[in-house]
Amino acid sequence: MKKNFNKSGRFIRIILGLILLVLAFTDFFKDDLIENIAVGTGIILLLTALIYFCPLYYFLGIDTYKAGKKPKMY
């Protein structure tokens, strides 16, 4: 799989995934359905951050990963 998002996207996915998992496991959500959705979303966010690949980005044709491009220093 080709990487399709950058490091800042990875950082955001890790933070949001961890927040959702912590909230779900500390019984923040009163409804079981919402809690299960939060756990599933948190796991998906962490997995996509781990492999730098988002299937939704792939189907939408979005690619924010700039391999080999470094900023020019003048």
Side-chain angles (χ1 to χ4, degrees):
M1 286 179 284
K2 181 183 162 201
K3 296 178 181 180
N4 65 1
F5 62 88
N6 55 13
K7 287 184 181 180
S8 62
R10 182 180 191 203
F11 178 74
I12 292 169
R13 288 170 190 266
I14 290 172
I15 296 299
L16 289 176
L18 289 175
I19 288 171
L20 283 174
L21 289 175
V22 167
L23 289 176
F25 289 122
T26 57
D27 291 332
F28 178 78
F29 304 109
K30 302 300 179 204
D31 188 17
D32 287 339
L33 177 63
I34 295 174
E35 187 174 302
N36 290 336
I37 291 172
V39 169
T41 305
I43 290 172
I44 288 171
L45 287 172
L46 289 176
L47 286 176
T48 58
L50 180 69
I51 61 175
Y52 276 98
F53 180 77
C54 178
L56 183 62
Y57 277 18
Y58 176 76
F59 288 117
L60 295 176
I62 300 171
D63 186 5
T64 61
Y65 184 76
K66 308 292 184 215
K69 292 188 179 181
K70 295 186 180 184
K72 294 180 182 178
M73 301 179 89
Y74 295 103

PDB file of all heavy atoms in Angstrom, residues 16-55:
ATOM      1  N   LEU A  16      -6.694  11.752  18.208  1.00  0.00           N
ATOM      2  CA  LEU A  16      -8.144  11.523  18.206  1.00  0.00           C
ATOM      3  C   LEU A  16      -8.496  10.072  18.555  1.00  0.00           C
ATOM      4  O   LEU A  16      -9.452   9.818  19.285  1.00  0.00           O
ATOM      5  CB  LEU A  16      -8.733  11.892  16.849  1.00  0.00           C
ATOM      6  CG  LEU A  16      -8.796  13.373  16.513  1.00  0.00           C
ATOM      7  CD1 LEU A  16      -9.320  13.583  15.107  1.00  0.00           C
ATOM      8  CD2 LEU A  16      -9.648  14.108  17.520  1.00  0.00           C
ATOM      9  N   GLY A  17      -7.718   9.125  18.034  1.00  0.00           N
ATOM     10  CA  GLY A  17      -7.970   7.725  18.337  1.00  0.00           C
ATOM     11  C   GLY A  17      -7.809   7.423  19.816  1.00  0.00           C
ATOM     12  O   GLY A  17      -8.637   6.740  20.420  1.00  0.00           O
ATOM     13  N   LEU A  18      -6.748   7.954  20.411  1.00  0.00           N
ATOM     14  CA  LEU A  18      -6.523   7.727  21.841  1.00  0.00           C
ATOM     15  C   LEU A  18      -7.603   8.398  22.687  1.00  0.00           C
ATOM     16  O   LEU A  18      -8.068   7.824  23.681  1.00  0.00           O
ATOM     17  CB  LEU A  18      -5.142   8.233  22.247  1.00  0.00           C
ATOM     18  CG  LEU A  18      -3.963   7.405  21.737  1.00  0.00           C
ATOM     19  CD1 LEU A  18      -2.641   8.082  22.101  1.00  0.00           C
ATOM     20  CD2 LEU A  18      -4.017   5.993  22.280  1.00  0.00           C
ATOM     21  N   ILE A  19      -8.003   9.600  22.307  1.00  0.00           N
ATOM     22  CA  ILE A  19      -9.058  10.293  23.053  1.00  0.00           C
ATOM     23  C   ILE A  19     -10.359   9.490  23.014  1.00  0.00           C
ATOM     24  O   ILE A  19     -11.020   9.297  24.039  1.00  0.00           O
ATOM     25  CB  ILE A  19      -9.279  11.719  22.507  1.00  0.00           C
ATOM     26  CG1 ILE A  19      -8.103  12.609  22.892  1.00  0.00           C
ATOM     27  CG2 ILE A  19     -10.586  12.316  23.015  1.00  0.00           C
ATOM     28  CD1 ILE A  19      -8.121  13.967  22.235  1.00  0.00           C
ATOM     29  N   LEU A  20     -10.739   9.011  21.829  1.00  0.00           N
ATOM     30  CA  LEU A  20     -11.970   8.225  21.721  1.00  0.00           C
ATOM     31  C   LEU A  20     -11.900   6.943  22.541  1.00  0.00           C
ATOM     32  O   LEU A  20     -12.868   6.569  23.207  1.00  0.00           O
ATOM     33  CB  LEU A  20     -12.253   7.896  20.255  1.00  0.00           C
ATOM     34  CG  LEU A  20     -12.821   9.032  19.420  1.00  0.00           C
ATOM     35  CD1 LEU A  20     -12.902   8.617  17.961  1.00  0.00           C
ATOM     36  CD2 LEU A  20     -14.192   9.424  19.930  1.00  0.00           C
ATOM     37  N   LEU A  21     -10.762   6.266  22.514  1.00  0.00           N
ATOM     38  CA  LEU A  21     -10.634   5.023  23.284  1.00  0.00           C
ATOM     39  C   LEU A  21     -10.672   5.283  24.784  1.00  0.00           C
ATOM     40  O   LEU A  21     -11.317   4.537  25.533  1.00  0.00           O
ATOM     41  CB  LEU A  21      -9.353   4.290  22.889  1.00  0.00           C
ATOM     42  CG  LEU A  21      -9.372   3.653  21.506  1.00  0.00           C
ATOM     43  CD1 LEU A  21      -8.001   3.067  21.173  1.00  0.00           C
ATOM     44  CD2 LEU A  21     -10.436   2.580  21.418  1.00  0.00           C
ATOM     45  N   VAL A  22     -10.003   6.326  25.231  1.00  0.00           N
ATOM     46  CA  VAL A  22     -10.019   6.654  26.666  1.00  0.00           C
ATOM     47  C   VAL A  22     -11.425   7.015  27.117  1.00  0.00           C
ATOM     48  O   VAL A  22     -11.893   6.555  28.165  1.00  0.00           O
ATOM     49  CB  VAL A  22      -9.014   7.791  26.976  1.00  0.00           C
ATOM     50  CG1 VAL A  22      -9.241   8.359  28.357  1.00  0.00           C
ATOM     51  CG2 VAL A  22      -7.592   7.294  26.838  1.00  0.00           C
ATOM     52  N   LEU A  23     -12.128   7.825  26.317  1.00  0.00           N
ATOM     53  CA  LEU A  23     -13.492   8.195  26.685  1.00  0.00           C
ATOM     54  C   LEU A  23     -14.419   6.981  26.711  1.00  0.00           C
ATOM     55  O   LEU A  23     -15.275   6.862  27.589  1.00  0.00           O
ATOM     56  CB  LEU A  23     -14.041   9.247  25.711  1.00  0.00           C
ATOM     57  CG  LEU A  23     -13.445  10.643  25.812  1.00  0.00           C
ATOM     58  CD1 LEU A  23     -14.020  11.540  24.725  1.00  0.00           C
ATOM     59  CD2 LEU A  23     -13.685  11.239  27.183  1.00  0.00           C
ATOM     60  N   ALA A  24     -14.227   6.070  25.763  1.00  0.00           N
ATOM     61  CA  ALA A  24     -15.084   4.884  25.712  1.00  0.00           C
ATOM     62  C   ALA A  24     -14.820   3.946  26.899  1.00  0.00           C
ATOM     63  O   ALA A  24     -15.755   3.386  27.466  1.00  0.00           O
ATOM     64  CB  ALA A  24     -14.875   4.143  24.400  1.00  0.00           C
ATOM     65  N   PHE A  25     -13.559   3.798  27.267  1.00  0.00           N
ATOM     66  CA  PHE A  25     -13.238   2.855  28.331  1.00  0.00           C
ATOM     67  C   PHE A  25     -13.406   3.446  29.733  1.00  0.00           C
ATOM     68  O   PHE A  25     -13.332   2.721  30.721  1.00  0.00           O
ATOM     69  CB  PHE A  25     -11.836   2.281  28.150  1.00  0.00           C
ATOM     70  CG  PHE A  25     -11.751   1.325  26.993  1.00  0.00           C
ATOM     71  CD1 PHE A  25     -10.870   1.554  25.959  1.00  0.00           C
ATOM     72  CD2 PHE A  25     -12.566   0.204  26.932  1.00  0.00           C
ATOM     73  CE1 PHE A  25     -10.797   0.682  24.890  1.00  0.00           C
ATOM     74  CE2 PHE A  25     -12.497  -0.670  25.865  1.00  0.00           C
ATOM     75  CZ  PHE A  25     -11.609  -0.432  24.840  1.00  0.00           C
ATOM     76  N   THR A  26     -13.624   4.750  29.830  1.00  0.00           N
ATOM     77  CA  THR A  26     -13.892   5.351  31.133  1.00  0.00           C
ATOM     78  C   THR A  26     -15.383   5.609  31.317  1.00  0.00           C
ATOM     79  O   THR A  26     -15.768   6.373  32.210  1.00  0.00           O
ATOM     80  CB  THR A  26     -13.120   6.672  31.307  1.00  0.00           C
ATOM     81  OG1 THR A  26     -13.469   7.559  30.244  1.00  0.00           O
ATOM     82  CG2 THR A  26     -11.628   6.433  31.331  1.00  0.00           C
ATOM     83  N   ASP A  27     -16.207   5.011  30.490  1.00  0.00           N
ATOM     84  CA  ASP A  27     -17.674   5.120  30.558  1.00  0.00           C
ATOM     85  C   ASP A  27     -18.155   6.564  30.463  1.00  0.00           C
ATOM     86  O   ASP A  27     -19.088   6.978  31.147  1.00  0.00           O
ATOM     87  CB  ASP A  27     -18.216   4.461  31.823  1.00  0.00           C
ATOM     88  CG  ASP A  27     -18.057   2.949  31.782  1.00  0.00           C
ATOM     89  OD1 ASP A  27     -18.055   2.396  30.669  1.00  0.00           O
ATOM     90  OD2 ASP A  27     -17.934   2.341  32.850  1.00  0.00           O
ATOM     91  N   PHE A  28     -17.524   7.349  29.598  1.00  0.00           N
ATOM     92  CA  PHE A  28     -17.965   8.721  29.342  1.00  0.00           C
ATOM     93  C   PHE A  28     -19.301   8.726  28.609  1.00  0.00           C
ATOM     94  O   PHE A  28     -20.163   9.546  28.881  1.00  0.00           O
ATOM     95  CB  PHE A  28     -16.899   9.461  28.535  1.00  0.00           C
ATOM     96  CG  PHE A  28     -17.275  10.864  28.173  1.00  0.00           C
ATOM     97  CD1 PHE A  28     -17.192  11.875  29.116  1.00  0.00           C
ATOM     98  CD2 PHE A  28     -17.716  11.171  26.901  1.00  0.00           C
ATOM     99  CE1 PHE A  28     -17.540  13.174  28.791  1.00  0.00           C
ATOM    100  CE2 PHE A  28     -18.066  12.464  26.562  1.00  0.00           C
ATOM    101  CZ  PHE A  28     -17.978  13.469  27.505  1.00  0.00           C
ATOM    102  N   PHE A  29     -19.451   7.781  27.677  1.00  0.00           N
ATOM    103  CA  PHE A  29     -20.686   7.688  26.902  1.00  0.00           C
ATOM    104  C   PHE A  29     -21.676   6.802  27.649  1.00  0.00           C
ATOM    105  O   PHE A  29     -21.346   5.725  28.107  1.00  0.00           O
ATOM    106  CB  PHE A  29     -20.401   7.090  25.519  1.00  0.00           C
ATOM    107  CG  PHE A  29     -19.368   7.849  24.741  1.00  0.00           C
ATOM    108  CD1 PHE A  29     -18.108   7.316  24.513  1.00  0.00           C
ATOM    109  CD2 PHE A  29     -19.643   9.107  24.242  1.00  0.00           C
ATOM    110  CE1 PHE A  29     -17.164   8.008  23.800  1.00  0.00           C
ATOM    111  CE2 PHE A  29     -18.696   9.815  23.523  1.00  0.00           C
ATOM    112  CZ  PHE A  29     -17.452   9.260  23.300  1.00  0.00           C
ATOM    113  N   LYS A  30     -22.896   7.269  27.770  1.00  0.00           N
ATOM    114  CA  LYS A  30     -23.915   6.519  28.514  1.00  0.00           C
ATOM    115  C   LYS A  30     -24.556   5.433  27.659  1.00  0.00           C
ATOM    116  O   LYS A  30     -25.032   4.437  28.176  1.00  0.00           O
ATOM    117  CB  LYS A  30     -24.998   7.473  29.025  1.00  0.00           C
ATOM    118  CG  LYS A  30     -24.465   8.568  29.908  1.00  0.00           C
ATOM    119  CD  LYS A  30     -23.779   8.022  31.128  1.00  0.00           C
ATOM    120  CE  LYS A  30     -23.240   9.160  31.985  1.00  0.00           C
ATOM    121  NZ  LYS A  30     -22.153   8.768  32.816  1.00  0.00           N
ATOM    122  N   ASP A  31     -24.596   5.617  26.370  1.00  0.00           N
ATOM    123  CA  ASP A  31     -25.239   4.668  25.469  1.00  0.00           C
ATOM    124  C   ASP A  31     -24.203   3.666  24.955  1.00  0.00           C
ATOM    125  O   ASP A  31     -23.101   4.041  24.544  1.00  0.00           O
ATOM    126  CB  ASP A  31     -25.859   5.432  24.288  1.00  0.00           C
ATOM    127  CG  ASP A  31     -26.720   4.546  23.414  1.00  0.00           C
ATOM    128  OD1 ASP A  31     -27.097   3.454  23.858  1.00  0.00           O
ATOM    129  OD2 ASP A  31     -26.992   4.957  22.273  1.00  0.00           O
ATOM    130  N   ASP A  32     -24.538   2.380  24.971  1.00  0.00           N
ATOM    131  CA  ASP A  32     -23.612   1.348  24.523  1.00  0.00           C
ATOM    132  C   ASP A  32     -23.310   1.443  23.031  1.00  0.00           C
ATOM    133  O   ASP A  32     -22.189   1.158  22.606  1.00  0.00           O
ATOM    134  CB  ASP A  32     -24.162  -0.044  24.833  1.00  0.00           C
ATOM    135  CG  ASP A  32     -24.101  -0.372  26.314  1.00  0.00           C
ATOM    136  OD1 ASP A  32     -23.302   0.275  27.021  1.00  0.00           O
ATOM    137  OD2 ASP A  32     -24.838  -1.271  26.750  1.00  0.00           O
ATOM    138  N   LEU A  33     -24.275   1.833  22.234  1.00  0.00           N
ATOM    139  CA  LEU A  33     -24.057   1.951  20.804  1.00  0.00           C
ATOM    140  C   LEU A  33     -23.019   3.033  20.505  1.00  0.00           C
ATOM    141  O   LEU A  33     -22.096   2.815  19.720  1.00  0.00           O
ATOM    142  CB  LEU A  33     -25.366   2.267  20.071  1.00  0.00           C
ATOM    143  CG  LEU A  33     -25.252   2.488  18.565  1.00  0.00           C
ATOM    144  CD1 LEU A  33     -24.774   1.217  17.875  1.00  0.00           C
ATOM    145  CD2 LEU A  33     -26.575   2.955  17.995  1.00  0.00           C
ATOM    146  N   ILE A  34     -23.153   4.171  21.140  1.00  0.00           N
ATOM    147  CA  ILE A  34     -22.193   5.259  20.928  1.00  0.00           C
ATOM    148  C   ILE A  34     -20.812   4.849  21.429  1.00  0.00           C
ATOM    149  O   ILE A  34     -19.790   5.157  20.809  1.00  0.00           O
ATOM    150  CB  ILE A  34     -22.678   6.550  21.619  1.00  0.00           C
ATOM    151  CG1 ILE A  34     -23.968   7.021  20.956  1.00  0.00           C
ATOM    152  CG2 ILE A  34     -21.615   7.632  21.577  1.00  0.00           C
ATOM    153  CD1 ILE A  34     -24.621   8.180  21.629  1.00  0.00           C
ATOM    154  N   GLU A  35     -20.765   4.121  22.521  1.00  0.00           N
ATOM    155  CA  GLU A  35     -19.495   3.643  23.055  1.00  0.00           C
ATOM    156  C   GLU A  35     -18.819   2.686  22.076  1.00  0.00           C
ATOM    157  O   GLU A  35     -17.613   2.782  21.833  1.00  0.00           O
ATOM    158  CB  GLU A  35     -19.726   2.952  24.388  1.00  0.00           C
ATOM    159  CG  GLU A  35     -18.465   2.562  25.107  1.00  0.00           C
ATOM    160  CD  GLU A  35     -18.766   2.023  26.486  1.00  0.00           C
ATOM    161  OE1 GLU A  35     -19.391   2.744  27.284  1.00  0.00           O
ATOM    162  OE2 GLU A  35     -18.382   0.875  26.747  1.00  0.00           O
ATOM    163  N   ASN A  36     -19.599   1.777  21.479  1.00  0.00           N
ATOM    164  CA  ASN A  36     -19.041   0.843  20.503  1.00  0.00           C
ATOM    165  C   ASN A  36     -18.563   1.553  19.240  1.00  0.00           C
ATOM    166  O   ASN A  36     -17.532   1.192  18.664  1.00  0.00           O
ATOM    167  CB  ASN A  36     -20.065  -0.232  20.146  1.00  0.00           C
ATOM    168  CG  ASN A  36     -20.312  -1.186  21.286  1.00  0.00           C
ATOM    169  OD1 ASN A  36     -19.467  -1.353  22.155  1.00  0.00           O
ATOM    170  ND2 ASN A  36     -21.480  -1.799  21.301  1.00  0.00           N
ATOM    171  N   ILE A  37     -19.294   2.561  18.817  1.00  0.00           N
ATOM    172  CA  ILE A  37     -18.872   3.344  17.655  1.00  0.00           C
ATOM    173  C   ILE A  37     -17.572   4.086  17.962  1.00  0.00           C
ATOM    174  O   ILE A  37     -16.667   4.158  17.120  1.00  0.00           O
ATOM    175  CB  ILE A  37     -19.992   4.321  17.228  1.00  0.00           C
ATOM    176  CG1 ILE A  37     -21.169   3.536  16.650  1.00  0.00           C
ATOM    177  CG2 ILE A  37     -19.478   5.343  16.224  1.00  0.00           C
ATOM    178  CD1 ILE A  37     -22.400   4.369  16.385  1.00  0.00           C
ATOM    179  N   ALA A  38     -17.446   4.630  19.163  1.00  0.00           N
ATOM    180  CA  ALA A  38     -16.228   5.334  19.560  1.00  0.00           C
ATOM    181  C   ALA A  38     -15.033   4.389  19.602  1.00  0.00           C
ATOM    182  O   ALA A  38     -13.939   4.743  19.149  1.00  0.00           O
ATOM    183  CB  ALA A  38     -16.422   6.000  20.917  1.00  0.00           C
ATOM    184  N   VAL A  39     -15.222   3.177  20.108  1.00  0.00           N
ATOM    185  CA  VAL A  39     -14.138   2.199  20.151  1.00  0.00           C
ATOM    186  C   VAL A  39     -13.719   1.814  18.731  1.00  0.00           C
ATOM    187  O   VAL A  39     -12.533   1.783  18.400  1.00  0.00           O
ATOM    188  CB  VAL A  39     -14.545   0.945  20.961  1.00  0.00           C
ATOM    189  CG1 VAL A  39     -13.536  -0.176  20.779  1.00  0.00           C
ATOM    190  CG2 VAL A  39     -14.690   1.288  22.429  1.00  0.00           C
ATOM    191  N   GLY A  40     -14.692   1.540  17.884  1.00  0.00           N
ATOM    192  CA  GLY A  40     -14.378   1.164  16.504  1.00  0.00           C
ATOM    193  C   GLY A  40     -13.674   2.277  15.751  1.00  0.00           C
ATOM    194  O   GLY A  40     -12.677   2.039  15.050  1.00  0.00           O
ATOM    195  N   THR A  41     -14.145   3.491  15.908  1.00  0.00           N
ATOM    196  CA  THR A  41     -13.521   4.628  15.241  1.00  0.00           C
ATOM    197  C   THR A  41     -12.110   4.869  15.776  1.00  0.00           C
ATOM    198  O   THR A  41     -11.190   5.148  15.003  1.00  0.00           O
ATOM    199  CB  THR A  41     -14.380   5.896  15.422  1.00  0.00           C
ATOM    200  OG1 THR A  41     -15.704   5.626  14.963  1.00  0.00           O
ATOM    201  CG2 THR A  41     -13.802   7.066  14.669  1.00  0.00           C
ATOM    202  N   GLY A  42     -11.932   4.754  17.074  1.00  0.00           N
ATOM    203  CA  GLY A  42     -10.604   4.924  17.670  1.00  0.00           C
ATOM    204  C   GLY A  42      -9.611   3.892  17.162  1.00  0.00           C
ATOM    205  O   GLY A  42      -8.465   4.223  16.847  1.00  0.00           O
ATOM    206  N   ILE A  43     -10.051   2.655  17.061  1.00  0.00           N
ATOM    207  CA  ILE A  43      -9.169   1.595  16.564  1.00  0.00           C
ATOM    208  C   ILE A  43      -8.821   1.834  15.099  1.00  0.00           C
ATOM    209  O   ILE A  43      -7.664   1.680  14.690  1.00  0.00           O
ATOM    210  CB  ILE A  43      -9.817   0.216  16.778  1.00  0.00           C
ATOM    211  CG1 ILE A  43      -9.835  -0.124  18.268  1.00  0.00           C
ATOM    212  CG2 ILE A  43      -9.082  -0.865  15.983  1.00  0.00           C
ATOM    213  CD1 ILE A  43     -10.612  -1.363  18.616  1.00  0.00           C
ATOM    214  N   ILE A  44      -9.800   2.215  14.296  1.00  0.00           N
ATOM    215  CA  ILE A  44      -9.539   2.480  12.876  1.00  0.00           C
ATOM    216  C   ILE A  44      -8.561   3.648  12.721  1.00  0.00           C
ATOM    217  O   ILE A  44      -7.640   3.579  11.896  1.00  0.00           O
ATOM    218  CB  ILE A  44     -10.861   2.752  12.127  1.00  0.00           C
ATOM    219  CG1 ILE A  44     -11.646   1.453  11.996  1.00  0.00           C
ATOM    220  CG2 ILE A  44     -10.601   3.358  10.753  1.00  0.00           C
ATOM    221  CD1 ILE A  44     -13.054   1.623  11.474  1.00  0.00           C
ATOM    222  N   LEU A  45      -8.742   4.704  13.508  1.00  0.00           N
ATOM    223  CA  LEU A  45      -7.823   5.837  13.429  1.00  0.00           C
ATOM    224  C   LEU A  45      -6.397   5.436  13.798  1.00  0.00           C
ATOM    225  O   LEU A  45      -5.438   5.841  13.140  1.00  0.00           O
ATOM    226  CB  LEU A  45      -8.297   6.974  14.334  1.00  0.00           C
ATOM    227  CG  LEU A  45      -9.512   7.756  13.847  1.00  0.00           C
ATOM    228  CD1 LEU A  45      -9.999   8.712  14.931  1.00  0.00           C
ATOM    229  CD2 LEU A  45      -9.183   8.512  12.585  1.00  0.00           C
ATOM    230  N   LEU A  46      -6.247   4.622  14.834  1.00  0.00           N
ATOM    231  CA  LEU A  46      -4.912   4.190  15.235  1.00  0.00           C
ATOM    232  C   LEU A  46      -4.283   3.259  14.197  1.00  0.00           C
ATOM    233  O   LEU A  46      -3.086   3.359  13.914  1.00  0.00           O
ATOM    234  CB  LEU A  46      -4.960   3.518  16.602  1.00  0.00           C
ATOM    235  CG  LEU A  46      -5.223   4.446  17.779  1.00  0.00           C
ATOM    236  CD1 LEU A  46      -5.345   3.643  19.069  1.00  0.00           C
ATOM    237  CD2 LEU A  46      -4.128   5.484  17.913  1.00  0.00           C
ATOM    238  N   LEU A  47      -5.062   2.374  13.622  1.00  0.00           N
ATOM    239  CA  LEU A  47      -4.524   1.472  12.596  1.00  0.00           C
ATOM    240  C   LEU A  47      -4.104   2.216  11.344  1.00  0.00           C
ATOM    241  O   LEU A  47      -3.044   1.945  10.777  1.00  0.00           O
ATOM    242  CB  LEU A  47      -5.550   0.391  12.244  1.00  0.00           C
ATOM    243  CG  LEU A  47      -5.758  -0.706  13.277  1.00  0.00           C
ATOM    244  CD1 LEU A  47      -6.864  -1.655  12.834  1.00  0.00           C
ATOM    245  CD2 LEU A  47      -4.472  -1.471  13.503  1.00  0.00           C
ATOM    246  N   THR A  48      -4.912   3.167  10.895  1.00  0.00           N
ATOM    247  CA  THR A  48      -4.538   3.932   9.710  1.00  0.00           C
ATOM    248  C   THR A  48      -3.315   4.798   9.989  1.00  0.00           C
ATOM    249  O   THR A  48      -2.482   5.001   9.103  1.00  0.00           O
ATOM    250  CB  THR A  48      -5.697   4.797   9.190  1.00  0.00           C
ATOM    251  OG1 THR A  48      -6.131   5.676  10.210  1.00  0.00           O
ATOM    252  CG2 THR A  48      -6.840   3.942   8.702  1.00  0.00           C
ATOM    253  N   ALA A  49      -3.182   5.300  11.207  1.00  0.00           N
ATOM    254  CA  ALA A  49      -1.994   6.080  11.558  1.00  0.00           C
ATOM    255  C   ALA A  49      -0.755   5.196  11.582  1.00  0.00           C
ATOM    256  O   ALA A  49       0.332   5.636  11.193  1.00  0.00           O
ATOM    257  CB  ALA A  49      -2.182   6.747  12.921  1.00  0.00           C
ATOM    258  N   LEU A  50      -0.910   3.972  11.980  1.00  0.00           N
ATOM    259  CA  LEU A  50       0.216   3.048  12.049  1.00  0.00           C
ATOM    260  C   LEU A  50       0.771   2.718  10.668  1.00  0.00           C
ATOM    261  O   LEU A  50       1.982   2.638  10.481  1.00  0.00           O
ATOM    262  CB  LEU A  50      -0.207   1.758  12.762  1.00  0.00           C
ATOM    263  CG  LEU A  50       0.834   0.678  12.922  1.00  0.00           C
ATOM    264  CD1 LEU A  50       1.906   1.132  13.899  1.00  0.00           C
ATOM    265  CD2 LEU A  50       0.195  -0.599  13.394  1.00  0.00           C
ATOM    266  N   ILE A  51      -0.106   2.563   9.687  1.00  0.00           N
ATOM    267  CA  ILE A  51       0.341   2.146   8.357  1.00  0.00           C
ATOM    268  C   ILE A  51       0.380   3.297   7.345  1.00  0.00           C
ATOM    269  O   ILE A  51       0.701   3.079   6.177  1.00  0.00           O
ATOM    270  CB  ILE A  51      -0.533   1.003   7.805  1.00  0.00           C
ATOM    271  CG1 ILE A  51      -1.987   1.440   7.672  1.00  0.00           C
ATOM    272  CG2 ILE A  51      -0.402  -0.234   8.652  1.00  0.00           C
ATOM    273  CD1 ILE A  51      -2.886   0.416   7.017  1.00  0.00           C
ATOM    274  N   TYR A  52       0.067   4.527   7.765  1.00  0.00           N
ATOM    275  CA  TYR A  52       0.089   5.707   6.882  1.00  0.00           C
ATOM    276  C   TYR A  52      -0.817   5.529   5.662  1.00  0.00           C
ATOM    277  O   TYR A  52      -0.537   6.072   4.595  1.00  0.00           O
ATOM    278  CB  TYR A  52       1.500   5.996   6.373  1.00  0.00           C
ATOM    279  CG  TYR A  52       2.367   6.805   7.297  1.00  0.00           C
ATOM    280  CD1 TYR A  52       3.281   6.197   8.128  1.00  0.00           C
ATOM    281  CD2 TYR A  52       2.289   8.189   7.304  1.00  0.00           C
ATOM    282  CE1 TYR A  52       4.105   6.936   8.953  1.00  0.00           C
ATOM    283  CE2 TYR A  52       3.109   8.945   8.122  1.00  0.00           C
ATOM    284  CZ  TYR A  52       4.018   8.307   8.943  1.00  0.00           C
ATOM    285  OH  TYR A  52       4.821   9.050   9.754  1.00  0.00           O
ATOM    286  N   PHE A  53      -1.871   4.796   5.767  1.00  0.00           N
ATOM    287  CA  PHE A  53      -2.756   4.574   4.628  1.00  0.00           C
ATOM    288  C   PHE A  53      -4.204   4.697   5.078  1.00  0.00           C
ATOM    289  O   PHE A  53      -4.623   4.043   6.027  1.00  0.00           O
ATOM    290  CB  PHE A  53      -2.534   3.188   4.020  1.00  0.00           C
ATOM    291  CG  PHE A  53      -3.427   2.902   2.845  1.00  0.00           C
ATOM    292  CD1 PHE A  53      -3.139   3.450   1.608  1.00  0.00           C
ATOM    293  CD2 PHE A  53      -4.545   2.113   2.977  1.00  0.00           C
ATOM    294  CE1 PHE A  53      -3.960   3.197   0.525  1.00  0.00           C
ATOM    295  CE2 PHE A  53      -5.376   1.858   1.910  1.00  0.00           C
ATOM    296  CZ  PHE A  53      -5.072   2.401   0.670  1.00  0.00           C
ATOM    297  N   CYS A  54      -4.974   5.527   4.366  1.00  0.00           N
ATOM    298  CA  CYS A  54      -6.381   5.711   4.662  1.00  0.00           C
ATOM    299  C   CYS A  54      -7.195   5.260   3.451  1.00  0.00           C
ATOM    300  O   CYS A  54      -7.072   5.858   2.371  1.00  0.00           O
ATOM    301  CB  CYS A  54      -6.675   7.173   4.977  1.00  0.00           C
ATOM    302  SG  CYS A  54      -8.411   7.495   5.308  1.00  0.00           S
ATOM    303  N   PRO A  55      -8.014   4.221   3.590  1.00  0.00           N
ATOM    304  CA  PRO A  55      -8.815   3.764   2.458  1.00  0.00           C
ATOM    305  C   PRO A  55      -9.766   4.834   1.924  1.00  0.00           C
ATOM    306  O   PRO A  55      -9.995   4.910   0.721  1.00  0.00           O
ATOM    307  CB  PRO A  55      -9.598   2.580   3.025  1.00  0.00           C
ATOM    308  CG  PRO A  55      -8.847   2.143   4.218  1.00  0.00           C
ATOM    309  CD  PRO A  55      -8.170   3.359   4.757  1.00  0.00           C
TER     310      PRO A  55
END
